[in-house]
Amino acid sequence: MRTVTVVGASLSGLYAARELRAQGFDGRLVVVGGESHGPYDRPPLSKDFLTGRADEDQLALTDAEETAELDADWLLGVRARALDARGRTVLLDDGRTISTDGVVIATGASARGLPGCELTGVHTLRTLDDARALRAELSAGPRQIVVIGGGFIGAETASSCAALGHDVTVVEAAPLPLVPQLGPDMAAVCAALHRRGGVDLVTGIGVAALRGTVAVTGVELADGRTLPADIVIVGIGATPTTDWLAGSTLALHDGVLCDDGCVTRLPQVVAVGDVARVGGTRAEHWTSATEQPRVAVRNLLAGHTTETVRPVPYFWSDQYGARIQFAGRRLATDTVRIAEGAIADGAPDEGGFLALYERDGRTTAVLSVDRPRPFMRARRELARGASAVEAAAATR
């Protein structure tokens, strides 16, 4: 390969560029980024950046020295518009074309919106520009805030808003936030963190409409109630950015379909990060974005799948002064056991707890609230156990 194009100046795109150089690619490297900013760290956007504890310069993932070492052509502030059927040309929305021998798709995902998102005071939180706009509005004094969605972004943003002194209500359509990830018992325990942080949690009810003419004034719920709001934050998930791939020969279904080595239907095209559905799973987590590029680049340079990646899923979330960490693959039938710490009155006790998910006598997942060291030990055990299972399966 003489030219490789990384589409997406994201965390996973940056890691792919690093891996290309680390694995010996010395040809032309092009990085296309739809935002005008270089790669930056997204997790702090809903936490330290929103509360003012971190500034933009602390979010940057590269510096001048690394930029020079990567020796890449950075095309920022321009989006990819199409990929030709053979995956050899990337068309940009400013009319330019890039002839390329290989492509790394790292376009990530975009925040889902709601009708009424055009009203003043309604925000999503996915990009640095989103966070800038929300931070500026939060600095104008105490407001009534409604956060729609109790997932990670919604919960973290609600926590930050409460810490800044705002009156916050979280609306979650499901019976409890984080049930798909944690199961009902542990989701109930983590939901108690909202109460501990002084945030109202409304569950089991959907949103019918956003109210207001120019500026938002309230959130109408499906049961007819209206919650007054000066600011509404919509955190109802994200959609993988694949629209630019329509008309290519790639298989698309809630992301770019890849094998277990991040390789698409075209061997000269790989996908990583939030946009990639690897081996049937699309994981919007920091660890996936940083672990997939090594294998994806190895397979891209080889021209076929020589290595696969199946790490133990891991995510973390900082909410109301507590750190939630989870690793593993749980099923609804798994039992949950508190291995360390305690739960008092349905909420994490002071000092937190460590919970193990178990199936047929073995641990399948682990959840921690404020128990980082025991969690890391349990996570390593999970990884060793998963490797042993995969090795056994390979010999059958």
Side-chain angles (χ1 to χ4, degrees):
M1 291 187 174
R2 296 181 179 179
T3 300
V4 173
T5 302
V6 178
V7 185
S10 56
L11 175 69
S12 58
L14 173 62
Y15 270 68
R18 288 171 174 170
E19 285 294 339
L20 281 160
R21 293 308 192 205
Q23 294 186 32
F25 176 71
D26 59 2
R28 184 188 181 208
L29 174 57
V30 183
V31 182
V32 178
E35 297 181 61
S36 59
H37 327 288
Y40 58 89
D41 204 15
R42 292 185 191 274
L45 293 181
S46 58
K47 301 184 277 287
D48 287 351
F49 181 78
L50 207 57
T51 59
R53 292 194 300 267
D55 291 322
E56 291 184 25
D57 58 348
Q58 295 170 272
L59 303 179
L61 292 171
T62 57
D63 56 23
E65 182 179 355
E66 182 182 27
T67 299
E69 289 175 354
L70 286 175
D71 189 24
D73 295 335
W74 293 85
L75 307 182
L76 301 178
V78 60
R79 298 183 183 276
R81 193 171 75 190
L83 179 70
D84 80 318
R86 295 178 296 108
R88 300 292 188 183
T89 302
V90 176
L91 176 63
L92 305 182
D93 62 7
D94 63 2
R96 286 180 289 174
T97 60
I98 304 171
S99 296
T100 190
D101 302 302
V103 175
V104 180
I105 298 172
T107 43
S110 57
R112 291 193 180 100
L114 286 173
C117 274
E118 70 280 358
L119 294 170
T120 301
V122 179
H123 298 264
T124 56
L125 185 55
R126 182 78 186 181
T127 68
L128 177 56
D129 289 338
D130 293 339
R132 282 174 172 169
L134 180 56
R135 187 164 98 161
E137 198 160 348
L138 292 175
S139 67
R143 303 292 185 90
Q144 284 188 301
I145 298 176
V146 175
V147 178
I148 302 174
F152 298 115
I153 293 297
E156 291 171 0
T157 305
S159 172
S160 295
C161 291
L164 291 169
H166 299 283
D167 182 0
V168 184
T169 299
V170 174
V171 178
E172 170 58 54
L176 284 168
L178 304 179
V179 168
Q181 294 86 357
L182 306 181
D185 294 339
M186 293 298 101
V189 173
C190 290
L193 293 173
H194 291 282
R195 295 193 298 271
R196 191 168 82 182
V199 170
D200 291 333
L201 179 61
V202 178
T203 62
I205 191 73
V207 170
L210 302 182
R211 292 300 179 193
T213 51
V214 176
V216 70
T217 58
V219 175
E220 182 182 341
L221 303 182
D223 62 3
R225 286 179 291 166
T226 296
L227 303 176
D230 304 307
I231 298 174
V232 173
I233 301 161
V234 180
I236 56 173
T239 303
T241 306
T242 59
D243 55 323
W244 67 284
L245 295 169
S248 72
T249 60
L250 300 183
L252 307 175
H253 179 67
D254 186 36
V256 179
L257 271 61
C258 308
D259 65 13
D260 286 337
C262 303
V263 179
T264 71
R265 182 177 289 175
L266 299 173
Q268 69 274 19
V269 179
V270 297
V272 293
D274 294 356
V275 74
R277 180 167 286 276
V278 179
T281 301
R282 189 172 68 85
E284 294 182 13
H285 300 306
W286 190 90
T287 47
S288 299
T290 58
E291 291 175 350
Q292 290 172 354
R294 180 187 62 80
V295 171
V297 165
R298 180 157 295 160
N299 293 333
L300 176 68
L301 297 178
H304 62 281
T305 301
T306 63
E307 187 175 342
T308 60
V309 56
R310 188 172 165 78
V312 174
Y314 166 65
F315 62 80
W316 79 92
S317 180
D318 295 319
Q319 304 173 19
Y320 308 104
R323 166 151 287 201
I324 301 170
Q325 294 173 285
F326 181 90
R329 298 180 178 89
R330 62 165 288 274
L331 296 179
T333 53
D334 291 353
T335 58
V336 185
R337 176 172 61 88
I338 304 300
E340 293 188 22
I343 296 171
D345 298 324
D349 199 1
E350 186 176 349
F353 68 89
L354 182 78
L356 301 179
Y357 294 75
E358 297 173 332
R359 184 189 322 147
D360 299 329
R362 64 184 181 88
T363 300
T364 58
V366 57
L367 168 68
S368 163
V369 175
D370 291 334
R371 293 266 173 154
R373 289 184 179 178
F375 174 83
M376 293 310 295
R377 289 196 297 269
R379 183 186 174 196
R380 287 193 294 268
E381 289 295 327
L382 271 178
R384 282 194 287 268
S387 298
V389 170
E390 290 177 5
T395 60
R396 291 173 187 163

